[in-house]
């Protein structure tokens, strides 16, 4: 590993074929597992995580113990029980890039797990300490941050307060996590910032069903916004909704599973009813 893969070995056919060839030439038949996955898994037990599905020989990790001690001290002093590798790497990125060969969050994860295996519980994206405040997911923390602002927050402000996460991670978090909303271009909001109660939601649901019934199951975001401005403007004002995009993302979040949302070829966002039972359910409630 040190000679042939000084920068690490990856779980790809070419690397493993080369490993088998060199092993046979140097050591003869070692009765290696026929499955590449089994071989890679056994090999990784003796190596250090270098990146996604990439591992490196421990002797090829260049880092001073003093630097690791500083990182451990930082981890132990964190209030949060769960510490994300992306944020940890961002905190020490300048030092690591200048003084070590640790150049990504997963490499830092691997080094910490190699040198301090018993200190923490290591997960794919974060490590957990035995002490600290109850763990919050990254989505929970971002949502709490946005809610604390009381209104939509720019993407850049979120990224400044959560170093290490990328645009893609933030977008996927908002898309997948209930409570954190896409709002408009480069803005995010939270469900709590809408300040809607059940009465408001029922009124909005009834409006959607009416438009769907009038248009054979079709309702664009613009159609919904224009009708809402005419019939329930107070609900829009309460949530600080100022355009059709704000309203669509709010509706998408609140009525998840009750309506089907999509974007057509021209980029027009649509809301289509799933079935008659769903319509009747909302109408009965309202």
């Amino acid at each position: 590993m040190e000679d042939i893969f000084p920068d690490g070995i990856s779980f790809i056919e070419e690397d493993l074929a080369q490993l088998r060839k060199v092993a046979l030439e140097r050591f003869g038949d070692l009765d290696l597992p026929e499955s590449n996955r089994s071989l890679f898994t056994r090999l990784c037990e003796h190596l250090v995580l270098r990146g996604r599905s990439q591992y490196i020989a421990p002797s090829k990790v260049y880092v001073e113990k003093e630097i690791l001690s500083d990182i451990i001290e930082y981890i132990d002093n964190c209030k949060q029980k769960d510490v994300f590798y992306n944020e940890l790497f961002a905190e020490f990125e300048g030092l690591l890039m200048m003084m070590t060969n640790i150049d990504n969050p997963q490499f830092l994860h691997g080094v910490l797990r190699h040198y301090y295996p018993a200190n923490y519980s290591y997960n794919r994206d974060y490590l957990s300490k035995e002490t600290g405040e109850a763990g919050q997911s990254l989505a929970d923390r971002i949502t709490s941050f946005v809610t604390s602002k009381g209104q939509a927050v720019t993407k850049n402000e979120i990224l400044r307060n959560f170093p290490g996460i990328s645009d893609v991670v933030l977008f996927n978090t908002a898309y997948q996590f209930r409570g954190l909303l896409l709002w408009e271009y480069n803005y995010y909001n939270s469900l709590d910032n809408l300040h809607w109660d059940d009465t408001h939601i029922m009124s909005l649901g009834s409006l959607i069903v009416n438009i769907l019934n009038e248009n054979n199951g079709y309702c664009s975001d613009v159609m919904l916004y224009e009708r809402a401005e005419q019939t329930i403007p107070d609900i829009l004002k309460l949530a600080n909704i100022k355009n059709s995009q704000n309203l669509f993302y709010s509706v998408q979040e609140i009525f998840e599973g009750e309506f089907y949302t999509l974007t057509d070829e021209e980029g027009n966002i649509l809301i289509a009813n799933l079935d008659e039972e769903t319509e009747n359910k909302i109408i009965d409630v309202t």
Side-chain angles (χ1 to χ4, degrees):
M1 283 297 302
E2 294 173 357
D3 295 341
I4 308 302
F5 300 101
D7 296 320
I9 185 172
S10 299
F11 184 56
I12 57 176
E13 185 70 29
E14 292 81 359
D15 280 6
L16 293 172
Q18 184 179 4
L19 176 66
R20 289 180 183 277
K21 178 182 177 182
V22 173
L24 182 63
E25 291 173 349
R26 293 192 180 186
F27 309 110
D29 186 2
L30 296 176
D31 193 25
L32 297 176
E34 292 185 6
S35 164
N36 276 342
R37 183 172 297 278
S38 297
L39 173 61
F40 194 70
T41 299
R42 287 178 57 181
L43 186 66
C44 291
E45 294 174 359
H46 307 283
L47 302 175
V48 176
L49 179 65
R50 173 73 174 80
R52 295 292 187 186
S53 297
Q54 184 182 33
Y55 288 77
I56 193 169
S59 62
K60 294 300 181 179
V61 176
Y62 304 120
V63 59
E64 297 292 334
K65 282 296 184 71
E66 290 77 9
I67 294 176
L68 292 180
S69 296
D70 289 344
I71 295 174
I72 293 300
E73 182 179 1
Y74 176 86
I75 294 171
D76 291 341
N77 288 334
C78 280
K79 292 182 179 180
Q80 292 289 340
K81 183 175 182 180
D82 298 333
V83 180
F84 287 80
Y85 306 124
N86 280 344
E87 295 180 70
L88 187 60
F89 180 78
E91 182 70 25
F92 290 91
E93 183 172 5
L95 180 63
L96 291 173
M97 296 296 288
M98 183 181 298
M99 303 297 294
T100 80
N101 65 335
I102 301 173
D103 57 4
N104 68 76
Q106 286 304 309
F107 198 179
L108 179 58
H109 167 197
V111 170
L112 292 174
R113 187 172 62 185
H114 177 74
Y115 284 104
Y116 306 95
N119 287 44
Y120 314 110
S121 174
Y122 295 95
N123 302 284
R124 189 185 70 171
D125 297 316
Y126 64 91
L127 60 81
S128 294
K129 303 183 295 181
E130 291 185 359
T131 60
E133 295 180 0
Q136 273 190 314
S137 69
L138 180 62
D140 284 324
R141 292 166 57 205
I142 295 174
T143 303
S144 296
F145 171 75
V146 174
T147 300
S148 72
K149 297 297 181 179
Q151 60 185 359
V153 177
T154 66
K155 176 192 71 176
N156 288 338
E157 185 174 357
I158 295 173
L159 296 180
R160 282 197 303 270
N161 283 272
F162 294 88
I165 70 170
S166 65
D167 292 7
V168 173
V169 169
L170 178 57
F171 177 85
N172 288 338
T173 299
Y175 189 78
Q176 297 170 6
F177 182 75
R178 182 168 178 79
L180 184 62
L181 311 177
L182 300 169
W183 193 243
E184 57 189 81
Y185 182 68
N186 281 339
Y187 276 82
Y188 294 83
N189 208 344
S190 75
L191 198 57
D192 288 342
N193 283 343
L194 301 181
H195 306 296
W196 286 343
D197 59 23
D198 289 344
T199 302
H200 300 131
I201 294 171
M202 289 176 183
S203 296
L204 186 56
S206 180
L207 177 61
I208 294 170
V209 170
N210 289 338
I211 298 174
L212 290 171
N213 288 338
E214 294 169 6
N215 296 276
N216 298 316
Y218 170 91
C219 174
S220 73
D221 58 338
V222 174
M223 291 167 59
L224 178 59
Y225 181 70
E226 290 178 349
R227 184 75 70 85
E229 280 190 307
Q230 297 169 4
T231 59
I232 51 173
D234 291 344
I235 292 179
L236 299 183
K237 183 177 180 180
L238 184 63
N240 199 28
I241 289 175
K242 299 179 179 180
N243 57 58
S244 61
Q245 201 171 22
N246 298 163
L247 182 56
F248 168 75
Y249 286 129
S250 301
V251 166
Q252 185 181 49
E253 187 78 4
I254 289 172
F255 295 105
E256 181 182 9
E258 297 182 38
F259 298 100
Y260 178 62
T261 60
L262 55 91
T263 301
D264 71 8
E265 293 179 356
E266 297 179 357
N268 183 33
I269 299 172
L270 309 176
I271 303 172
N273 57 321
L274 289 177
D275 50 43
E276 186 174 320
E277 181 180 353
T278 299
E279 292 179 23
N280 292 334
K281 176 184 175 182
I282 296 178
I283 292 172
D284 289 341
V285 171
T286 57

